[in-house]
Amino acid sequence: MNEETVSLELSSELKELLSIRHTIKDYKKDTYLFQDGDAIKGIYLIQTGKVQIGKVTPDGRELTLKICGPNQLVGEVTVFSQDSKYMLDAKAIEDVCCVKIAIKDLEEALLHNAKLAVAFMKWMGIDQQKTQTKFRDLLLHGKKGALYSTLIRLSNSYGVQKKDGVLIDLHLTNQELANFCGMTREVVNRMLSDLKKQEVITVGDGKITLHDIGHLKIEINCENCPISVCKID
């Protein structure tokens, strides 16, 4: 398997996170690991379950940035700074078990382990690129860019190749899909209906199959970013 397609395996350097003093934490579905405005206490390495990273806008709309699963890190971290606060919410959308590493223990490890420090900075850089490219698609291509790029990212994270296309092997309601795009459910409903009429997608059992990813890419002038950046997780 191409290294670029591997998303759920930690690098050997990041595995050293587990050598840092840590605690095991369990979170029930619909509870929060942390919320916007909470003081940053540490990072989380998910062992089981899924965590939704997002933000509620001042007018009450929910924007979902990504979904993280096993062996992924959660917690945008400002290391070596004081009084930092989380700027996003991390909500368990399944029962979650994770490793929590206190920020002061992480900082000490980064100071004394150069390989870990480089690997950690690389992870933070890729995470930032994912967020930047998502907002780029939204700003440059509007609603179409938001939805089409989200479908492409979902296929890169959860896609299963089938004879007639790529199945996004993740149950998503239209409202949940709308939250990824920063749009209303009604707008997403209309756009999905148009794509179905054009036979670009089909929907069955709560899952979307993409029959013509090329069409989506052409419509948003896809720059063919590396898969490591063009993902939803």
Side-chain angles (χ1 to χ4, degrees), residues 147 150 154 172-181 188 192 208:
L147 177 60
T150 296
L154 284 167
L172 283 176
T173 67
N174 284 6
Q175 182 61 64
E176 289 169 334
L177 186 56
N179 291 344
F180 274 112
C181 305
V188 167
L192 289 176
I208 297 173

Side-chain angles (χ1 to χ4, degrees), residues 136-149 181 183 191 220:
R136 175 203 64 193
D137 294 336
L138 177 60
L139 291 172
L140 292 181
H141 304 293
K143 295 175 181 178
K144 182 181 289 187
L147 177 60
Y148 289 13
S149 66
C181 305
M183 298 189 293
M191 295 178 71
I220 61 172

Side-chain angles (χ1 to χ4, degrees), residues 45-87:
L45 174 60
I46 302 172
Q47 294 185 313
T48 60
K50 289 187 175 66
V51 175
Q52 173 182 291
I53 307 299
K55 189 176 184 71
V56 178
T57 65
D59 60 1
R61 290 187 298 113
E62 185 176 354
L63 176 63
T64 301
L65 294 179
K66 59 182 178 179
I67 294 175
C68 298
N71 292 330
Q72 289 184 290
L73 294 170
V74 172
E76 36 154 335
V77 180
T78 305
V79 293
F80 305 113
S81 62
Q82 299 197 355
D83 302 322
S84 299
K85 298 183 183 297
Y86 292 109
M87 298 178 65

